[in-house]
Amino acid sequence: MRKLKKAVLALIATTALAAPALPAAAEDIFVPLFTYRTGPFAGSGTYIANGMHDYLEMLNQRDGGIGGVKIAIEECETGYNTTKGLECYEAVKPKHPVIVNPWSTGITLPIIPKAAVDKIPVLSMAYGLSASSEGETFPWIFNPPDTYWDGMSMIIKYIAAQEGGLAKLKGKKIGYLYLDAGYGKEPLPFLADLSKELGFQTKLYPVAAAEMQNQSAQWLNVRRDRPDYMIMYGWGAMQPTAVKEAVKTNYPMEKFISIWWPSEEDAKGAGKEAAGFKTLNWHAATPDFPVIKDIEKHVVGAGKSQTPKDQLGTVLYNRGVYNSMLIAEGIRTAQKLTGKKVVTGEDVRRGMESLNIDAARLKELGMDGFAGPIKLTCADHNGHRPTFVQRFDGAKYVKVSDWIEPMHDKVGPLLKADAKAYAEKNAGWPKRTEPCDAK
Amino acid sequence: MGLLYQIFIDPFMQMGQAPDLLVQTLWEGLVGGVLYALIALGFVLIFKASGVFNFAQGIMMVFAALTLVGLYEKGVPAPLALLLAIGVMYLLALGVERVVLRPLVNQPDIMLFMATFGLTYILIGAGQLVFGGDPKEMPVTALGLPKGAIDLKILGGLVSLQKIDIAAAIIASIMVAGLAVFFQKTRIGRALRAVADDHQAALSVGISLNQIWVIVWFTAGIVALATGIMWGARSDVSFALQVISLKALPVLILGGFTSVPGAIVGGLIIGIGEKLGEFYWGPLVGGGIESWLAYAIALAFLLFKPEGLFGEKIIERI
């Protein structure tokens, strides 16, 4: 018995020591995926994890990888927890990842200073630090296609359009319901600036992570304050609860607009009364694209995925697909730039900076009409692309607006100033020395 | 001066000006409080019988509700899924007694406490493995629970009472009354109280500790299931609910770890107190005070009643 115990302990110790040291095969391109299929945010995270994984796996199965090189995909479960996310980062670092996607603003922020040191580019797709779109200050960070500040500016523009112009916002009351964490607080300075400039009043309703499913106090405040519009930056279980509470409070759903994160499930739980709830989006929310059909054929249908078939084409699944498409195109561009097949993190940083996905390329990818074109440069790591408003009709989201451009004139200077302030605040922030291929 | 006015005068003026909102806030607090009380009750039951602070009570609530919803989603009719969920909670109680409590008997309390930490993670893993991590909708109608709201046009405004909240309050009251009768009037209840008072004395008169532990953990499991159903019906059944269970801590601090009435009264005080605080005083500091206000209320009470409102006063003579 004692011998057996010793043997088991030895086996556990050997496995624990050996596991982190195992690198991806030298001929592979290692792409770790930070995901959360567990915990309070799994309701959002699972869809994205599936989408990200399935697109890359589809490239492996259909094309043998990218440029003939197989992608080594490895998921690391963060539970949307910053500490665990940083553990994931440290765990994948020795395996030479060509890019990391933290999938949490909280995890992204502490990784930002590490990226340049470790030579690992970071893709924080439409989340993270807004100012990291400034490539001259943050050469290793990429956050296309929009920052949270862009998102806020587009929501305000949409609201203004309903009211008859930006000038009509004067004297209006706009409520902001947000996850009381790095992500939800991110647009606060921008919102304060806009509020001062355009003359609308802002009412803030923070929701602590521990209270995500207990929002009655926030919605009682909404009932008292009677905001003309409500804006939400939520995530995980906060979103379906907010939609239910809005219905319960009899808040006019047509005036409840969210940033781009709610899924169909987040609205469905509140029943037909949730119809009218709106969110921003920049890509399709249907499975009617060749790329999704290929995923279905080569990955989901072949049993190489955890995705249920009815999840294909949903908002957050497609978001994950879009995220992995950006990674794959970054790698492909890096291969072109360097002439190498097996690229490194430094190469992919250059590839991401030279990313140019036009309409023709989207068509080649089986994503014609899936999303708009995007082009990044050394100075602009975001693109600041237009989005549209989609309305929940009781079962699915339907596009109800034209493309809305961000307020470039307002967001641009503020991002530059914020990036400068970030570099000044962090003493010794390195001046950019990285080469630029895409001027 | 302005600040003093905002703290001490303005909230009460608001209460007077919009009494409908005051009643609505009190109602929301009452419903939240009843649910906190139910969670706290689960902790109290186990603490009384085994002296263990069961850290796993929160995840038991999620696991029980998830079992019910998970089975329903797999095509099992809701009433049968409910019965099976009760059965699963019984098996869990048996398993805990056999695998956790029995081997650790006579070990320091901290060992048992740490074991409940382990149990928490096992239940999280098992729940996610079997039912997945995504939030699930509680089949309210299939369970025979009401939907919709009763809108009362009173006090110059509107007070909206969700039918599911009314049902939660009624079911919680019935459960509390049932548990009170069970503890006071039945043989098992008396045995349970005997174990709570003194393990060794209880053993000496032929009470089976193992049997009592199974009964207590099963009862706590039923309470967890009822709480999970009610809270799940208000939002969704997700692992985020586990975090809400931590609200039981200030309830326990306030009500005492060994008192069933304490759990009830404590739950109501915390529930109503935090809603009033967030609604009337929260905006003064930008909102979001609810998560710590509960602890502040509990600690304020402790200044005057260190053993909690209904906790046992322990006097050790030296």
Side-chain angles (χ1 to χ4, degrees), chain B residues 60-73:
Chain B
M60 277 169 67
M61 171 175 85
V62 178
F63 187 76
L66 208 58
T67 305
L68 164 60
V69 182
L71 288 170
Y72 178 74
E73 282 187 355

Side-chain angles (χ1 to χ4, degrees), chain A residues 48 101-103 108 122-128 142-146 148 260-261 282-283 318-324 326 382:
Chain A
I48 288 169
N101 337 229
W103 271 106
T108 306
V122 175
L123 172 61
S124 55
M125 191 194 69
Y127 61 88
F142 299 86
N143 59 355
D146 282 297
Y148 281 139
W260 38 69
W261 293 122
W282 68 83
H283 59 73
N318 282 6
R319 187 78 39 90
V321 168
Y322 184 85
N323 186 96
S324 279
L326 292 178
N382 183 277

Side-chain angles (χ1 to χ4, degrees), chain A residues 37-40 42-43 204 206 208 210-214 216-218 220-221 223-224 237 240-241 244 248 250 269, chain B residues 14 20-21 24 28 36 128 133 135 158 162 231 234-236 238 240-241 243 247 275 278-279 283 286-288 290-291:
Chain A
R37 297 175 181 275
T38 64
L204 302 180
E211 305 288 346
M212 285 194 302
Q213 289 190 267
N214 188 21
S216 59
Q218 282 81 1
L220 275 168
N221 279 318
R223 189 177 147 189
R224 173 182 52 197
T241 310
K244 277 189 178 174
K248 202 173 118 180
N250 292 321
Chain B
Q14 286 183 44
D20 60 321
L21 277 178
Q24 187 76 57
E28 296 291 344
Y36 294 159
Q128 283 169 347
L158 180 79
Q162 294 295 314
W231 214 297
R234 299 182 93 210
S235 48
D236 273 325
S238 85
L241 279 180
V243 190
K247 274 288 171 64
K275 289 286 180 281
E278 177 72 50
F279 186 62
E290 205 174 356
S291 47

